[in-house]
C-alpha cells in the first residue's frame, strides 16, 4: 500500500505541473484509473510521511520538489497575492491543494519553507518571451542538469534557487526565435567560490533548450581553470552520449581521442541522457573543445561550425529549423592566440552567422575582458582596445544575435566600463546579484562585524574570528608549524567522521594552501622549507603527538563541541591518534607533502597530482600564487596560510580560496593570516582587516543593487546604464580595482571619519575669486563683532592647551551647504565627493544640526585686519600655493584645529563640563587668505582700501570638522562610479541611503 501511495502522489504532483490543483481530486482520478482501492485519506498520508525517512524518503522528496517549486515561483502562472519563499505563499499553495490542517502541519515539519533571498535584478522592462509555458515546452537539457544536481545531493531549495536565478538571466536575453536582431549584455555577480559555474551551466542548459545554438564559454585565462570548467560542463550538461557520439565505451580503439572514459573514475557519474538525444526528439550538442584541448583552428574547412537547416528556405532562427539543429559548445581560454583562431574561423562562415542565436558566457569577466587602455592616450574620436577586449568586441560584431553574460565575484572593474561605449561589455541590459547560497562559507563566516559587548564577550561559539582565524604577527614564530599541525589534525578528524558515518561518502580531497608571494622563486624556497619542516615535525614521535594533542584540546575540540555538536567528534586525543597516523600517511604519500603550482608549470596536465578530477585522493599542501587565486576551485581546502598583500580589492578578494562549501567540516576550517605584513618600507598591512573592509565594500554594493531593484508601480526604477552602481572603498590602501581598470572611474564621495575636510585647490582667476567671496556674504555678515576667547585644556603631560580669540556665528546646516554647493574650484568637480557626503548629513546618512563658524584672530603683533564685504574686521591670513601647483598647502593653524577638535570631543563626552556646542554641531574654521610671500605688504596684496579688502584678491578658505554623530556612524568610505561618455555633462547621481 505504501508503494501505491508513493506512486499515486508522485504522479499527481507531476500531473499538476507549474500550478497547484486540488490534490485529492487529481490523485483520486489517477487512483480510479489504476488502483481504486488505494487509501488516499489524510490519515494515511500523515502516517506515511511519519515513516518516510526510514523508508528512503521518496515521498518527502516528491513533495519537497513540488512545494519548493511553487514556493520559489517569482511570477507564478496561477493567481496569488503572496511573495515567494514566505509562509503566506506556502499557505496559498495549501489552499489551492485543498489540504487539511493535519497534512499541512506534517508537510511544514518535513519540508519547512526555505526563506532564502532571491536574486537581485536591475534591468529595464523587457518583452516577456521566456514564459513558464515556453520554458516548460522544452526542458531536455535543463531537466538533465537538474537531475544531476539532485544526484549530487543538492537540496530542493538550492535547486529551486538556481532555477529562479538562471531563469532571471535567460528571460532577459533576446528571444532566439525572433526575427529582429538584438544583442543583450548583462553581468551576474556571485560570491568567491560560491557556485557561479553552476549558475552559468544552468543558464546554458535553459538557453540551449530555448534555441541558442552556439555557446561560447570564456573560461578564464589559465589552463587550470579552463580545463576544470570544461569538465564541469561535460559532466553535468553535455553528458555521455554527446561525448561518445556513438563510440562504444567498451572498445578501446573506438575511444581514441575521447576524454574521460578511460582515465576518469567519475565517468559513470557523467549525466546520461538515456540514448542519443536525437532519438528523444531533442538536439545533439557537439563539443568544439575538450578537457585536454582548447579551441584550435578547424582543419575540416570549418565544417564543425556550419549549421544545417532542415528547411533551407527558412532562416535558422525559425522554430522549424532551430529546434532540430545541433548545438555547438566550446570552452575557450581568454588568450589572444586562441580567440584570434576562433574569430578567423567565424569570418569564413558566410550568411548563417546573421541567423545564429549565440550565447557568450564570460567567466571571471573582470579579468582580461575589460579594456585597460588609457583613454588619455587615444587619438581623437577613436577607441583603442586591449587584446582580449578587442577580440570579444569582434566576436559580438561577427555574431549579431549573440548575447553576452559576464560572471564575476568582484564586479568593480565591470561597472567602471563606459556605459556609452556600445561596443564594450558594460552590462547595459541587466545586472543580477546572486543570493548567498545555502551552506556557503564566505567572508561573513570569518569576520565579526558587530562590536564586542561587555555583557556578551566573544567566544568560539559566537565569534567567527575566534572559531576560524589565527593571526600571524611579526616575530620568529610565524605559526607555519601550527598551521601544518592544524592541517594534519583536521585531516584526522575528517577520517574519524567518515568512519563514523559522516559524510555518506568519504572525503575525497584534503588540502592546505600556502600563499605568501607571487614570485615563482619564492614558491620553490617556501616549498623546500615546508618539506623540511614536515620531516622534522615528528608526527610519529611522542613529542609530535603531544603537540597535536595540545592543539586539539585548546583549539579544535573547543570549536567542534559548539560548532559541530551534531557531528561525530572524538572524546579524547587517544581516540583520534590512529587517524592522525592515517592522515600523515595520506599527506606524505609519494614522499613529498608539497605541490608547487605556478607559471613554471603552466601545462596543466603535467601536474597530474593536482588534477582533482582524475586523481582519487589529493591530500597535499599547495604552494602557489596567481594560478590558485582566481576561479580555480581548490578541492577540500581546510587550512590556509596567507600572507600576500595586494592593493586592489578585487585581486585580494579573489585570493580568498578559503571561501566555499565545506560540508561536514566547516568547524575544522582554519585561516592563518598576516596581521603585520610589509606594505612599504615603513608601513605594515593587516590583511584580516583588509578582507573585512572589502567585505563592507561588497555588501554596500549589493545593498545598493537591492535598493535600485525594487519596482515602483510594477516598473523598474532605473537601469544599469542610468545609474552605474557606486563602488565603495573603506580602506585607504586597498583600491576597488587596478589603476588601469579605473580610467573610467569617477570619485563621487569621500567620507573619512575623524578627519577634517580641508580643500586646497581654489581658483586663481580673480573673477572666480570675487564670485566665491560674494557667495560667503551672508555667512560673513553673521559673524559677531565681539571676539570670543577659546582655550583647550592642557595635555596629559602638562603641556598648556591652545589659546586664541575669534569671531563666531552659528549657522544652519542647509545654510552652509547652500554656500558650499555654489563655490567654484580650480578644477570642476574636485570638491564634489566631499559635498556629496556633507549633503547627506541632513539625516540621510547622519544628522548635523548646525555649525559653529570660527574666524580666528591672529596675535596682535602679526594681525592685519580688514572687513570682507559686510563683515566685521577679520584677520587676513598669508598662505602660498605649493611649488609648481595651483593648490595651497595647509590652510588651518594647528592650534585652531586643536581647539576645534576639543570642542567636538567635549560635546560628545558627558563626563566633561558643558561644552560651548552641542553633540550635533560641527565646526567651520574660516580664513580670508591672501596669496603673498613672507615679508610682503599684506594690506597691499589684499587690496585693502578704506578698511575693506578687495574680494577678488581673497580666497575664502575653510576647514570643516563634522561632529561625532557624523563620523562615528561608519568607517572611512570613498565611493566611485563610472563616467558615461554619452552624458559627460550630466549631474552626478546622489549616493543612495544606506
Amino acid at each position: 500500500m505504501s508503494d501505491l501511495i508513493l506512486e499515486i502522489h508522485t504522479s499527481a504532483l507531476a500531473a499538476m505541473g507549474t500550478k497547484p490543483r486540488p490534490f485529492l481530486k487529481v490523485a483520486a482520478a489517477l487512483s480510479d484509473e489504476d488502483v481504486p482501492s488505494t487509501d488516499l485519506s489524510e490519515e494515511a498520508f500523515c502516517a506515511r510521511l511519519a515513516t518516510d525517512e526510514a523508508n528512503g524518503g521518496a515521498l518527502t522528496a516528491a513533495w519537497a520538489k513540488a512545494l519548493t517549486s511553487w514556493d520559489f515561483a517569482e511570477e507564478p502562472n496561477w493567481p496569488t497575492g503572496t511573495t515567494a519563499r514566505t509562509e503566506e505563499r506556502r499557505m496559498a499553495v495549501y489552499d489551492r491543494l485543498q489540504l487539511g490542517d493535519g497534512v499541512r502541519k506534517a508537510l511544514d515539519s518535513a519540508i519547512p519553507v526555505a526563506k532564502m533571498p532571491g536574486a537581485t535584478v536591475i534591468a529595464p522592462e523587457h518583452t516577456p518571451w521566456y514564459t513558464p509555458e515556453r520554458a516548460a515546452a522544452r526542458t531536455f537539457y535543463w531537466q538533465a542538469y537538474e537531475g544531476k544536481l539532485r544526484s549530487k545531493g543538492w537540496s530542493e531549495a538550492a535547486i529551486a534557487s538556481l532555477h529562479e536565478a538562471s531563469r532571471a538571466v535567460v528571460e532577459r536575453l533576446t528571444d532566439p526565435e525572433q526575427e529582429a536582431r538584438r544583442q543583450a549584455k548583462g553581468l551576474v555577480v556571485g560570491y568567491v567560490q560560491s557556485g557561479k559555474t553552476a549558475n552559468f551551466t544552468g543558464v546554458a542548459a535553459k538557453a540551449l533548450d530555448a534555441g541558442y545554438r552556439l555557446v561560447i564559454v570564456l573560461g578564464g585565462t589559465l589552463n587550470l581553470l579552463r580545463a576544470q570548467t570544461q569538465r564541469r560542463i561535460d559532466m553535468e550538461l553535455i553528458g555521455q552520449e554527446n561525448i561518445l557520439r556513438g563510440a562504444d565505451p567498451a572498445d578501446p580503439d573506438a575511444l581514441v581521442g575521447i576524454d574521460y572514459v578511460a582515465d576518469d573514475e567519475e565517468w559513470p557519474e557523467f549525466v546520461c541522457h538515456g540514448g542519443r538525444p536525437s532519438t528523444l526528439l531533442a538536439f545533439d550538442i557537439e563539443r568544439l573543445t575538450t578537457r585536454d584541448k582548447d579551441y584550435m583552428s578547424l582543419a575540416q574547412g570549418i565544417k564543425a561550425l556550419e549549421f544545417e537547416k532542415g528547411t533551407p528556405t527558412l532562416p535558422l532562427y525559425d522554430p522549424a529549423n532551430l529546434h532540430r539543429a545541433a548545438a555547438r559548445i566550446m570552452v575557450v581560454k581568454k588568450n589572444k592566440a586562441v580567440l584570434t583562431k576562433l574569430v578567423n574561423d567565424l569570418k569564413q562562415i558566410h550568411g548563417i552567422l546573421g541567423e545564429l542565436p549565440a550565447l557568450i558566457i564570460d567567466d571571471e569577466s573582470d579579468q582580461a575582458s575589460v579594456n585597460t587602455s588609457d583613454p588619455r592616450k587615444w587619438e581623437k574620436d577613436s577607441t583603442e582596445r586591449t587584446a582580449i577586449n578587442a577580440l570579444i568586441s569582434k566576436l559580438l560584431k561577427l555574431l549579431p544575435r549573440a548575447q553576452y553574460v559576464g560572471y564575476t565575484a568582484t564586479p568593480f572593474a565591470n561597472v567602471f566600463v563606459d556605459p556609452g561605449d556600445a561596443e564594450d561589455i558594460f552590462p547595459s541590459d541587466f545586472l543580477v546579484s546572486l543570493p548567498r547560497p545555502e551552506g556557503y562559507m564566505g567572508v561573513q563566516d570569518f569576520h565579526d562585524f558587530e562590536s564586542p559587548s561587555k555583557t556578551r564577550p566573544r567566544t568560539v561559539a559566537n565569534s567567527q574570528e575566534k572559531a576560524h582565524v589565527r593571526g600571524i604577527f611579526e616575530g620568529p614564530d610565524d605559526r607555519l608549524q601550527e598551521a601544518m599541525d592544524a592541517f594534519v589534525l583536521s585531516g584526522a578528524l575528517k577520517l574519524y567522521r567518515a568512519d563514523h558515518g559522516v559524510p555518506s561518502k568519504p572525503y575525497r580531497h584534503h588540502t592546505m594552501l600556502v600563499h605568501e608571494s607571487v614570485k615563482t622563486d619564492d614558491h620553490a624556497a617556501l616549498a623546500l622549507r615546508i618539506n623540511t619542516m614536515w620531516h622534522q615535525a615528528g608526527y610519529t614521535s611522542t613529542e609530535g603527538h603531544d603537540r597535536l594533542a595540545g592543539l586539539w584540546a585548546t583549539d579544535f575540540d573547543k570549536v567542534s563541541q559548539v560548532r559541530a555538536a551534531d557531528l561525530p567528534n572524538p572524546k579524547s586525543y587517544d581516540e583520534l591518534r590512529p587517524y592522525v597516523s592515517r592522515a600523515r600517511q595520506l599527506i606524505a604519500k609519494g614522499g613529498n607533502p608539497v605541490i608547487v603550482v605556478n607559471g613554471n608549470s603552466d601545462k596543466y596536465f603535467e601536474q597530474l597530482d593536482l588534477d582533482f578530477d582524475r586523481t582519487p585522493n589529493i591530500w597535499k599542501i599547495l604552494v602557489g600564487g596567481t594560478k590558485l587565486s582566481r576561479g580555480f576551485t581548490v578541492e577540500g581546502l581546510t587550512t590556509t596560510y596567507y600572507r600576500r598583500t595586494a592593493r586592489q580589492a578585487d585581486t585580494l578578494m579573489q585570493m580568498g580560496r578559503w571561501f566555499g562549501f565545506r560540508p561536514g567540516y566547516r568547524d575544522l576550517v582554519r585561516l592563518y593570516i598576516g596581521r603585520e605584513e610589509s606594505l612599504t618600507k615603513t608601513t605594515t598591512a593587516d590583511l584580516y582587516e583588509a578582507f573585512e573592509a572589502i567585505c563592507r565594500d561588497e555588501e554596500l554594493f549589493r545593498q545598493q543593487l537591492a535598493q535600485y531593484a525594487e519596482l515602483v508601480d510594477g516598473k523598474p526604477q532605473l537601469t544599469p546604464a542610468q545609474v552605474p552602481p557606486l563602488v565603495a572603498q573603506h580602506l585607504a590602501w586597498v583600491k576597488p580595482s587596478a589603476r588601469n581598470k579605473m580610467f573610467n572611474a569617477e570619485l563621487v564621495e569621500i567620507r573619512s571619519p575623524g578627519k577634517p575636510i580641508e580643500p586646497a585647490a581654489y581658483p586663481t582667476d580673480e573673477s572666480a575669486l570675487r564670485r566665491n567671496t560674494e557667495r560667503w556674504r551672508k555667512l560673513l555678515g553673521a559673524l559677531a563683532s565681539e571676539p570670543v576667547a577659546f582655550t583647550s585644556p592642557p595635555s596629559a603631560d602638562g603641556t598648556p592647551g591652545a589659546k586664541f580669540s575669534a569671531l563666531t556665528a552659528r549657522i544652519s546646516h542647509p545654510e552652509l551647504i547652500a554656500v558650499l554647493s555654489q563655490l567654484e574650484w580650480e578644477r570642476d568637480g574636485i570638491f564634489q565627493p566631499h559635498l556629496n557626503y556633507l549633503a547627506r548629513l541632513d539625516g540621510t546618512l547622519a544628522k548635523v544640526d548646525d555649525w559653529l563658524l570660527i574666524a580666528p584672530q591672529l596675535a596682535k603683533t602679526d594681525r592685519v585686519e580688514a572687513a570682507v564685504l559686510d563683515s566685521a574686521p577679520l584677520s587676513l591670513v598669508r598662505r602660498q600655493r605649493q611649488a609648481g601647483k595651483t593648490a595651497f598647502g595647509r590652510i588651518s593653524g594647528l592650534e585652531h584645529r586643536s581647539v576645534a577638535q576639543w570642542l567636538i570631543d567635549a560635546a560628545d563626552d558627558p563626563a566633561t563640563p558643558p561644552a560651548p556646542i552641542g553633540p550635533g554641531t560641527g565646526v567651520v574654521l574660516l580664513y580670508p587668505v591672501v596669496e603673498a610671500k613672507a615679508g610682503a605688504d599684506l594690506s597691499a596684496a589684499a587690496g585693502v582700501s578704506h578698511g575693506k579688502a578687495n574680494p577678488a584678491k581673497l580666497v575664502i578658505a575653510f576647514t570643516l570638522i563634522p561632529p561625532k554623530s557624523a563620523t562615528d556612524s561608519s568607517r572611512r568610505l570613498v565611493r566611485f562610479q563610472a563616467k558615461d561618455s554619452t552624458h559627460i555633462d550630466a549631474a552626478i547621481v546622489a549616493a543612495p541611503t544606506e
Side-chain angles (χ1 to χ4, degrees):
M1 184 64 69
S2 295
D3 288 338
L4 291 174
I5 289 178
L6 172 61
E7 183 179 340
I8 292 173
H9 278 233
T10 303
S11 298
L13 292 171
M16 294 181 199
T18 59
K19 295 181 181 181
R21 307 174 191 275
F23 174 74
L24 281 178
K25 290 183 180 179
V26 177
L30 293 171
S31 176
D32 289 342
E33 292 175 4
D34 300 320
V35 190
S37 60
T38 304
D39 184 357
L40 295 177
S41 67
E42 292 196 351
E43 290 77 10
F45 186 5
C46 291
R48 175 57 200 275
L49 271 179
T51 61
D52 190 53
E53 185 176 354
N55 293 319
L59 182 63
T60 303
W63 275 92
K65 181 179 179 181
L67 287 176
T68 304
S69 67
W70 294 324
D71 286 345
F72 272 74
E74 294 287 351
E75 298 178 6
N77 57 350
W78 46 278
T80 174
T82 60
T83 303
R85 299 175 296 282
T86 61
E87 299 287 353
E88 293 75 18
R89 167 61 64 81
R90 177 65 68 85
M91 292 303 296
V93 171
Y94 287 156
D95 289 343
R96 285 185 61 88
L97 292 169
Q98 297 182 6
L99 298 179
D101 290 342
V103 173
R104 295 184 185 209
K105 289 179 181 179
L107 288 172
D108 280 344
S109 176
I111 312 163
V113 178
K115 299 178 181 178
M116 59 180 65
T120 297
V121 181
I122 294 182
E125 289 188 278
H126 64 281
T127 302
W129 66 273
Y130 193 67
T131 61
E133 293 76 16
R134 172 87 175 264
R138 293 186 176 88
T139 61
F140 184 85
Y141 283 102
W142 167 252
Q143 282 193 335
Y145 182 52
E146 189 180 45
K148 178 58 187 174
L149 296 178
R150 198 168 281 115
S151 71
K152 288 174 63 176
W154 279 47
S155 69
E156 291 299 334
I159 294 173
S161 179
L162 176 63
H163 169 63
E164 289 301 316
S166 55
R167 180 192 61 79
V169 174
V170 174
E171 70 181 0
R172 286 170 175 81
L173 306 179
T174 301
D175 181 353
E177 298 178 5
Q178 78 176 32
E179 181 177 354
R181 297 176 178 180
R182 177 183 173 272
Q183 288 187 335
K185 296 175 184 177
L187 178 68
V188 180
V189 181
Y191 292 82
V192 173
Q193 301 272 98
S194 68
K196 296 184 298 299
T197 305
N199 184 276
F200 70 64
T201 303
V203 167
K206 284 183 165 68
L208 287 167
D209 285 332
Y212 282 90
R213 287 297 168 263
L214 175 62
V215 176
I216 302 171
V217 178
L218 304 178
T221 61
L222 299 171
N223 289 328
L224 246 67
L225 179 55
R226 193 212 70 82
Q228 193 175 60
T229 302
Q230 177 83 52
R231 183 182 183 275
R232 282 280 301 276
I233 292 176
D234 286 342
M235 181 183 192
E236 299 178 358
L237 173 63
I238 293 176
Q240 294 186 18
E241 294 81 5
N242 286 315
I243 293 172
L244 290 170
R245 304 201 66 79
D248 183 356
D251 181 0
D253 293 334
L255 297 179
V256 175
I258 297 178
D259 40 9
Y260 307 119
V261 184
D263 64 351
D264 194 312
E265 68 170 14
E266 290 190 318
W267 169 252
E269 297 181 28
F270 277 54
V271 67
C272 186
H273 298 293
R276 282 184 63 79
S278 56
T279 65
L280 301 176
L281 300 180
F283 47 86
D284 292 340
I285 294 177
E286 184 174 345
R287 298 185 306 154
L288 301 184
T289 56
T290 67
R291 179 191 60 190
D292 300 342
K293 294 181 180 179
D294 203 338
Y295 185 83
M296 303 177 69
S297 293
L298 301 174
Q300 314 93 322
I302 62 171
K303 185 176 181 180
L305 277 170
E306 293 178 349
F307 291 81
E308 294 184 3
K309 295 191 290 186
T311 308
T313 57
L314 295 175
L316 179 63
Y317 56 78
D318 188 280
N321 284 326
L322 198 60
H323 299 291
R324 295 287 181 171
R328 272 73 167 179
I329 288 184
M330 63 182 81
V331 181
V332 299
K333 190 164 68 267
K334 282 189 275 189
N335 172 277
K336 182 180 179 181
V338 172
L339 291 178
T340 299
K341 292 174 186 175
L342 175 57
V343 167
N344 289 339
D345 280 351
L346 288 173
K347 285 180 179 178
Q348 297 179 55
I349 301 175
H350 304 289
I352 199 70
L353 292 187
E355 302 175 5
L356 174 62
L359 173 62
I360 299 174
I361 294 173
D362 188 354
D363 192 15
E364 305 294 337
S365 62
D366 63 312
Q367 185 186 34
S369 303
V370 174
N371 188 17
T372 55
S373 69
D374 189 346
R376 293 170 297 185
K377 298 179 180 179
W378 298 351
E379 294 183 9
K380 188 177 180 181
D381 298 326
S382 70
T383 299
E384 297 176 13
R385 302 188 184 280
T386 44
I388 303 302
N389 180 264
L391 286 163
I392 293 174
S393 178
K394 288 179 181 178
L395 281 176
L396 291 169
K397 286 182 179 179
L398 286 168
L399 298 164
R401 293 179 182 273
Q403 317 294 297
Y404 173 89
V405 185
Y407 278 78
T408 182
T410 47
F412 301 152
N414 294 85
V415 300
F416 289 146
V417 174
D418 181 5
D421 185 351
E423 296 181 6
D424 214 330
I425 59 172
F426 181 82
S428 54
D429 292 276
F430 60 88
L431 203 161
V432 176
S433 175
L434 299 177
R436 176 184 164 92
E438 185 182 34
Y440 174 69
M441 199 171 184
V443 179
Q444 295 89 340
D445 298 286
F446 293 89
H447 295 266
D448 302 317
F449 294 107
E450 295 181 359
S451 300
S453 169
K454 293 181 180 179
T455 59
R456 189 171 179 264
R458 285 179 176 164
T459 66
V460 294
N462 61 33
S463 168
Q464 306 290 11
E465 179 180 358
K466 284 189 172 294
H468 300 293
V469 182
R470 308 293 176 257
I472 304 169
F473 296 89
E474 285 297 320
D477 179 15
D478 60 10
R479 303 191 83 167
L480 181 55
Q481 181 64 63
E482 182 186 321
M484 290 170 58
D485 290 349
F487 178 52
V488 174
L489 267 178
S490 58
L493 285 162
K494 285 182 177 181
L495 294 172
Y496 176 91
R497 288 177 180 175
D499 269 5
H500 290 76
V502 177
S504 56
K505 293 182 178 180
Y507 294 99
R508 190 177 179 204
H509 303 299
H510 176 60
T511 53
M512 172 179 174
L513 174 62
V514 181
H515 192 163
E516 283 191 347
S517 169
V518 70
K519 298 178 180 177
T520 56
D521 289 346
D522 292 345
H523 297 162
L526 182 56
L528 180 61
R529 179 187 172 205
I530 293 172
N531 194 45
T532 301
M533 291 177 65
W534 174 269
H535 291 291
Q536 295 176 350
Y539 288 122
T540 60
S541 68
T542 300
E543 180 184 353
H545 281 295
D546 287 346
R547 193 175 66 248
L548 294 177
L551 184 60
W552 176 79
T554 59
D555 187 333
F556 282 83
D557 185 47
K558 289 184 176 181
V559 175
S560 296
Q561 289 300 330
V562 296
R563 296 263 175 165
D566 58 331
L567 297 177
N569 289 304
K571 294 181 174 59
S572 68
Y573 180 76
D574 287 340
E575 192 178 352
L576 184 62
R577 186 166 177 155
Y579 297 95
V580 169
S581 297
R582 284 176 55 190
R584 178 191 62 78
Q585 291 170 5
L586 284 168
I587 296 167
K589 186 177 180 180
N592 193 339
V594 186
I595 297 176
V596 175
V597 187
N598 59 31
N600 283 344
S601 49
D602 186 53
K603 293 182 179 178
Y604 173 65
F605 293 102
E606 292 179 358
Q607 300 180 20
L608 297 180
D609 283 344
L610 194 60
D611 188 339
F612 290 108
D613 301 325
R614 285 186 284 185
T615 306
N617 298 99
I618 295 180
W619 285 53
K620 294 296 178 184
I621 300 170
L622 311 179
V623 174
T626 303
K627 296 192 74 170
L628 294 178
S629 65
R630 180 177 277 271
F632 182 74
T633 300
V634 181
E635 301 286 355
L637 182 60
T638 310
T639 308
T640 301
Y641 184 88
Y642 182 83
R643 302 188 66 175
R644 180 182 162 191
T645 57
R647 290 178 176 270
Q648 299 82 37
D650 47 13
T651 302
L652 200 60
M653 184 62 85
Q654 287 287 353
M655 294 182 200
R657 297 293 96 186
W658 51 91
F659 308 138
F661 298 92
R662 308 288 180 244
Y665 64 100
R666 288 173 67 99
D667 59 308
L668 308 182
V669 174
R670 295 293 182 272
L671 169 61
Y672 289 81
I673 189 167
R675 306 299 301 265
E676 297 176 346
E677 296 303 315
S678 177
L679 190 63
T680 66
K681 290 182 179 180
T682 59
T683 62
T684 61
D686 184 335
L687 295 176
Y688 182 67
E689 179 187 54
F691 273 95
E692 180 177 320
I694 297 168
C695 180
R696 293 180 184 276
D697 298 342
E698 182 183 278
E699 287 307 306
L700 203 56
F701 180 84
R702 293 178 189 277
Q703 289 171 16
Q704 181 191 189
L705 295 184
Q707 174 187 333
Y708 288 140
E710 293 181 5
L711 301 180
V712 176
D713 296 329
K715 296 184 178 181
Q717 296 180 61
L718 302 164
T719 68
Q722 288 171 322
V723 181
L726 298 181
V727 174
Q729 178 189 338
H730 278 87
L731 200 60
W733 64 272
V734 182
K735 302 293 184 185
S737 192
R739 184 183 65 84
N740 62 358
K741 295 180 181 179
M742 294 184 65
F743 287 130
N744 202 50
E746 182 174 41
L747 186 63
V748 296
E749 182 181 353
I750 299 177
R751 187 199 316 161
S752 299
K755 290 189 176 182
I757 297 172
E758 187 175 86
Y762 293 94
T764 56
D765 177 70
E766 290 192 356
S767 298
L769 291 176
R770 180 185 297 277
R771 290 192 294 271
N772 275 354
T773 305
E774 285 288 345
R775 287 159 181 150
W776 283 98
R777 178 186 290 273
K778 181 179 178 181
L779 301 190
L780 292 170
L783 290 167
S785 57
E786 293 297 322
V788 175
F790 290 97
T791 305
S792 61
S795 61
D797 61 3
T799 303
K803 183 178 182 179
F804 64 91
S805 296
L807 303 186
T808 64
R810 293 290 280 267
I811 59 174
S812 69
H813 182 69
E815 285 178 312
L816 177 63
I817 296 301
V819 173
L820 298 182
S821 61
Q822 297 180 65
L823 295 179
E824 298 175 48
W825 300 91
E826 181 270 333
R827 179 163 55 84
D828 288 344
I830 195 170
F831 186 65
Q832 191 68 45
H834 292 296
L835 185 60
N836 287 344
Y837 161 60
L838 292 168
R840 296 205 298 151
L841 300 183
D842 61 353
T844 302
L845 173 67
K847 187 71 169 72
V848 173
D849 298 322
D850 55 11
W851 297 80
L852 177 63
L853 195 62
I854 298 178
Q857 291 183 320
L858 304 185
K860 289 186 178 181
T861 54
D862 301 326
R863 189 185 305 170
V864 175
E865 293 188 333
V868 180
L869 301 178
D870 300 329
S871 77
L874 303 177
S875 288
L876 302 181
V877 178
R878 187 195 315 271
R879 293 287 186 268
Q880 286 183 279
R881 299 182 191 260
Q882 299 177 72
K885 299 181 180 180
T886 57
F888 289 95
R890 180 176 54 84
I891 296 294
S892 58
L894 295 178
E895 69 279 13
H896 305 151
R897 189 179 292 187
S898 172
V899 168
Q901 191 62 59
W902 169 74
L903 290 172
I904 296 291
D905 294 341
D908 192 61
D909 186 357
T912 61
I917 60 175
T921 300
V923 174
V924 182
L925 296 173
L926 195 69
Y927 300 90
V929 168
V930 181
E931 188 176 353
K933 296 181 179 179
D937 186 338
L938 205 58
S939 293
V944 176
S945 176
H946 304 289
K948 284 190 173 185
N950 182 349
K953 299 292 186 180
L954 299 178
V955 173
I956 306 300
F958 58 90
T959 301
L960 305 175
I961 306 179
K964 291 282 186 178
S965 62
T967 59
D968 285 353
S969 61
S970 64
R971 304 176 61 183
R972 179 187 188 274
L973 178 66
V974 176
R975 292 179 190 259
F976 301 89
Q977 74 174 18
K979 290 179 283 189
D980 186 342
S981 60
T982 61
H983 300 91
I984 292 296
D985 299 323
I988 293 174
V989 177
T993 304
E994 292 176 34

